[in-house]
Amino acid sequence: MKTFNDFIRAREPTEAKVSGRFSIQKSSDEKRLAFGWASIALDEQGNQLEDQQQDIIEPETLEEAAYGFVRLYREGGEMHERGGCAVLVESVVFTKEKMAAMGIPEGTLPVGWWIGFYVTDDDVWEKVKSGEYPMFSIEGKAEREPVEEGQDDRDND
């Protein structure tokens, strides 16, 4: 069985920790809910994005990883140091096909993974509310694969 870490694709042939950070887009004080992008593969114009480590993830790989996370984990942690701080309550991977089926015009949303967490830990929730924790960060280990500039798996279809 693959874990979430098995799905992340990186650029160099060394194993490394991969993190991507995306701002929390909405939170609800009374409900202790926080929503935002966990990861974005392609921006609204279809350009592939790189994370802070200059790593990329293909849309199909991101979708598979998101489904694996939902099936196997569903737990949110604090700063990659401890778990048990939040529970996943919403998850959707917006692909071009899903957006078309929902009637969302092309170019409106990125191709990415939208999530929502119910924050169970009082201290973590206070940090989310204060802005000390303004974003989500996914974590995983990956076998880095070199990608030539200007070419990705979609070019081979």
Side-chain angles (χ1 to χ4, degrees):
M1 177 186 319
K2 288 185 177 183
T3 66
F4 183 76
N5 295 340
D6 295 328
F7 295 105
I8 299 173
R9 178 172 171 216
R11 285 190 177 263
E12 297 173 13
T14 60
E15 190 169 301
K17 184 176 179 178
V18 179
S19 298
R21 296 182 181 271
F22 295 92
S23 297
I24 293 174
Q25 300 294 312
K26 179 182 176 186
S27 64
S28 169
D29 287 349
E30 64 197 43
K31 295 182 181 178
R32 298 174 71 126
L33 297 171
F35 300 90
W37 294 103
S39 184
I40 296 174
L42 306 174
D43 68 14
E44 292 86 343
Q45 290 75 44
N47 301 310
Q48 190 157 46
L49 299 182
E50 294 181 346
D51 67 13
Q52 293 177 336
Q53 293 79 26
Q54 297 178 323
D55 295 322
I56 61 172
I57 187 165
E58 296 295 334
E60 299 80 12
T61 304
L62 176 60
E63 186 174 28
E64 189 177 345
Y67 297 156
F69 178 81
V70 171
R71 280 193 327 268
L72 301 172
Y73 304 107
R74 296 180 296 277
E75 179 181 280
E78 181 180 17
M79 303 301 290
H80 307 290
E81 297 296 322
R82 69 181 181 102
C85 299
V87 178
L88 184 72
V89 295
E90 184 168 292
S91 174
V92 63
V93 179
F94 285 96
T95 64
K96 289 181 181 183
E97 297 80 13
K98 288 179 192 170
M99 288 187 272
M102 290 185 249
I104 299 171
E106 192 169 330
T108 303
L109 293 176
V111 172
W113 180 21
W114 176 267
I115 56 173
F117 277 91
Y118 171 73
V119 181
T120 57
D121 185 276
D122 293 338
D123 292 333
V124 171
W125 182 244
E126 288 303 317
K127 291 174 183 175
V128 170
K129 287 192 326 184
S130 74
E132 183 177 343
Y133 291 166
M135 61 188 66
F136 293 109
S137 178
I138 61 170
E139 178 182 11
K141 291 184 180 178
E143 188 72 27
R144 290 180 176 231
E145 297 175 10
V147 175
E148 290 185 31
E149 196 67 30
Q151 181 175 347
D152 59 38
D153 288 348
R154 290 174 288 125
D155 294 334
N156 298 324
D157 292 336

